């Protein structure tokens, strides 16, 4: 958003210099609920770190706030933080199955949290493995960063030349 504002402002003052980036926000995930039901945010300390070790990830998932309905009671999936998170990443059939479980009763929030945890562990297993491998190989990471820096420099030099020319340098 800030980048868009700066690019528009500069272009308005000095002519077309920057490409104004388009925003890409999926309407289905504009706001991801946190473990406490508010917008997920590090500031609120209500995030789920899919790259955390399994013990910490389990603690985060199990700390998702739910109402106090008992195991035998029917539950409202539309007002449940666990279900809201589950439906963001689960396949349609799994979402429908969990919804059915909520509405029929005999299904507790603990069951839903375990399903969410297992889904995260299975769905992101490759990414979690890659993350752990990369964080344990700092030399390789720095080489990748250096390559990225070189690529970015090539683009940035051209952009900065356009900017300087527009500003009269």
């Amino acid at each position: 958003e800030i980048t868009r504002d700066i690019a528009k402002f500069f272009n308005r003052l000095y002519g077309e210099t920057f490409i104004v980036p388009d925003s890409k926000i999926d309407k289905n995930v504009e706001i991801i609920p946190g473990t406490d039901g508010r917008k997920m945010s590090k500031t609120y300390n209500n995030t789920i770190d899919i790259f955390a070790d399994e013990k910490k990830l389990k603690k985060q998932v199990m700390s998702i706030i739910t109402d106090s309905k008992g195991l035998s009671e029917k539950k409202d999936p539309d007002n449940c933080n666990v279900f809201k998170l589950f439906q963001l990443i689960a396949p349609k059939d799994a979402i429908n199955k969990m919804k059915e479980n909520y509405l029929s009763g005999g299904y507790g929030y603990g069951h839903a949290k375990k399903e969410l945890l297992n889904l995260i562990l299975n769905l992101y297993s490759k990414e979690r493995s890659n993350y752990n491998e990369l964080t344990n190989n700092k030399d390789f990471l720095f080489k990748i960063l250096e390559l990225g820096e070189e690529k970015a420099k090539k683009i940035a030099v051209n952009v900065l030349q356009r900017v300087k020319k527009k500003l009269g340098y």
Side-chain angles (χ1 to χ4, degrees):
E1 200 172 319
I2 291 170
T3 305
R4 290 174 50 78
D5 291 343
I6 291 169
K8 285 178 183 177
F9 180 77
F10 192 94
N11 288 350
R12 200 169 39 251
L13 288 177
Y14 299 102
E16 290 299 313
T17 308
F18 293 112
I19 297 169
V20 178
D22 291 327
S23 61
K24 293 183 180 179
I25 301 172
D26 185 340
K27 294 295 178 193
N28 295 323
V29 291
E30 282 181 340
I31 296 176
I32 297 176
T35 56
D36 60 0
R38 295 185 292 175
K39 177 180 100 170
M40 189 178 284
S41 169
K42 288 182 183 178
T43 304
Y44 298 149
N45 196 25
N46 65 356
T47 59
I48 295 175
D49 180 2
I50 64 168
F51 297 111
D53 65 76
E54 194 169 333
K55 185 177 178 182
K56 184 176 179 183
L57 179 60
K58 181 178 182 179
K59 185 176 180 180
Q60 290 172 338
V61 170
M62 294 305 180
S63 72
I64 298 172
I65 296 174
T66 57
D67 61 35
S68 59
K69 289 184 179 170
L71 179 66
S72 61
E73 295 179 77
K74 294 179 182 181
K75 295 168 185 63
D76 181 5
D78 296 328
N79 291 315
C80 176
N81 299 326
V82 181
F83 186 79
K84 288 177 183 176
L85 289 166
F86 187 81
Q87 71 181 356
L88 290 173
I89 60 172
K92 192 80 167 161
D93 60 328
I95 295 168
N96 292 335
K97 178 69 175 150
M98 184 180 277
K99 188 173 194 172
E100 186 180 298
N101 288 337
Y102 268 59
L103 298 173
S104 64
Y107 183 79
Y109 292 119
H111 296 111
K113 290 176 181 182
K114 284 179 185 171
E115 279 193 56
L116 176 60
L117 175 63
N118 288 332
L119 177 64
I120 292 169
L121 290 171
N122 291 325
L123 187 63
Y124 299 109
S125 63
K126 182 179 175 187
E127 291 81 358
R128 289 169 51 82
S129 175
N130 288 344
Y131 174 83
N132 288 326
E133 191 175 314
L134 288 171
T135 55
N136 291 325
N137 191 347
K138 302 289 186 205
D139 291 337
F140 179 70
L141 274 180
F142 285 117
K143 285 179 185 174
I144 291 173
L145 288 171
E146 287 171 2
L147 288 173
E149 178 183 12
E150 290 302 315
K151 287 180 183 178
K153 259 186 200 175
K154 288 177 185 175
I155 297 168
V157 166
N158 292 331
V159 173
L160 285 172
Q161 286 175 347
R162 284 196 322 259
V163 170
K164 287 178 179 180
K165 185 176 180 183
K166 295 282 182 167
L167 294 175
Y169 284 96

